[in-house]
Amino acid sequence: MRLEDESVVVREAYPAEYAELVLAVTELGGTTVPMVLLAVLFWLSSRRRTALVISYAVAGVAFLLAIKAALALPRPPESALLVPLSVDGYGFPSGHAFAAVVVYGGLCFAFERTQDRRWLAAIGAIVVLVSLSRVILGVHYLGDVLAGAVLGVAFLLAANRLIRGDPEIGFAVAVALAAPAVVVTGGVDDALLALGGGLGGLAATLSVDGFPETPSRTEGALLVAVGLAGLAAIRTAADAVTVAPIQVGAYAVLVAWVLFVPVGAARLSPAMRRPFDSS
């Protein structure tokens, strides 16, 4: 079922001297790169649509963690690793493959590009590359990434239908999924991140009627610079905390920060007080 033999073929076909390349590719389905990408898109583009994808991502983390904990299937043995890595958690299905589908596919849905072949080709390429990177690194079997990608498609279709384009509903769903995920997983960091992120996103979206537009490239660049600095500081602080309730609070602040930065900037700068973006 997990295609162990086929996974060996994939791993052995990849030259070990290019390990750095595959390590870079795999980050496209991790936590940091999608987080930064979605934050920057939120600050510079259609904020309601990007907030929707952020809610998909947070809800998806909780959903997948609960499934992995329920199945409790191990990762490949340490001998399969391409390079020494510290990898926790269960192996089936692949979280990176799942996240690649939910995040990049979510952007395709939110920005109404499902009929654009260039978008579909780009997203397909990202999902394939991320999935193969997990097999090459030896942290997943081929069956794990296939299952993760298929599950990601199913989750995205269901979320798109249930949430109906409303970020508030998306973050409420994330909280509803994250609470049991924390219990099932014993409170692992990613489950706490999902719960905190859901709570922070829900609080932020309920607190404002809309998000102000970015009026110029210069102010947009400043917004990104300030936003990323704050994002890095909050993430560093959150990673340093070991008490679960405080971690949840820190992750709530993390997501709320992303959503509130444009509002704070608009209050400080009269030039940025333009009509709210409802797209």
Side-chain angles (χ1 to χ4, degrees):
M1 179 181 73
R2 300 182 71 184
L3 305 177
E4 291 93 336
D5 293 339
E6 292 81 356
S7 303
V8 173
V9 174
V10 173
R11 289 199 303 268
E12 292 181 347
Y14 188 82
E17 57 267 29
Y18 296 113
E20 292 299 324
L21 176 60
V22 77
L23 284 169
V25 169
T26 205
E27 289 301 317
L28 293 173
T31 301
T32 302
V33 171
M35 179 191 302
V36 171
L37 171 64
L38 291 175
V40 172
L41 283 175
F42 179 79
W43 296 327
L44 297 181
S45 66
S46 175
R47 288 176 177 146
R48 184 175 181 83
R49 292 178 178 180
T50 310
L52 179 65
V53 182
I54 294 173
S55 75
Y56 285 173
V58 175
V61 169
F63 173 76
L64 190 75
L65 285 173
I67 289 180
K68 293 180 81 165
L71 296 175
L73 294 175
R75 292 184 182 273
E78 189 173 337
S79 59
L81 294 177
L82 178 67
V83 293
L85 293 171
S86 177
V87 185
D88 298 321
Y90 299 111
F92 183 91
S94 166
H96 279 63
F98 177 89
V101 172
V102 171
V103 171
Y104 304 109
L107 288 171
C108 188
F109 271 106
F111 284 83
E112 299 177 358
R113 293 292 189 273
T114 54
Q115 303 301 316
D116 190 322
R117 293 182 179 179
R118 292 172 298 179
W119 271 65
L120 295 176
I123 292 166
I126 292 173
V127 172
V128 169
L129 289 173
V130 169
S131 298
L132 287 176
S133 75
R134 304 307 286 169
V135 179
I136 292 168
L137 287 171
V139 295
H140 284 295
Y141 294 115
L142 192 57
D144 301 347
V145 298
L146 290 173
V150 170
L151 196 60
V153 172
F155 176 85
L156 189 57
L157 292 173
N160 192 57
R161 186 178 183 85
L162 174 65
I163 295 171
R164 302 190 303 276
D166 189 338
E168 292 180 11
I169 297 176
F171 285 116
V173 169
V175 173
L177 292 173
V182 170
V183 176
V184 172
T185 63
V188 299
D189 284 351
D190 283 347
L192 299 177
L193 186 155
L195 179 57
L199 290 170
L202 184 60
T205 51
L206 289 174
S207 298
V208 295
D209 295 325
F211 298 98
E213 296 177 352
T214 302
S216 72
R217 291 183 179 180
T218 300
E219 287 167 331
L222 179 61
L223 192 66
V224 170
V226 173
L228 289 179
L231 192 66
I234 298 168
R235 182 60 190 266
T236 300
D239 290 343
V241 174
T242 57
V243 180
I246 300 178
Q247 281 182 287
V248 171
Y251 290 132
V253 171
L254 185 74
V255 173
W257 167 263
V258 172
L259 301 181
F260 273 131
V261 165
V263 178
R267 290 174 180 172
L268 292 173
S269 173
M272 297 182 72
R273 294 172 189 165
R274 298 180 61 188
F276 281 178
D277 174 18
S278 60
S279 62

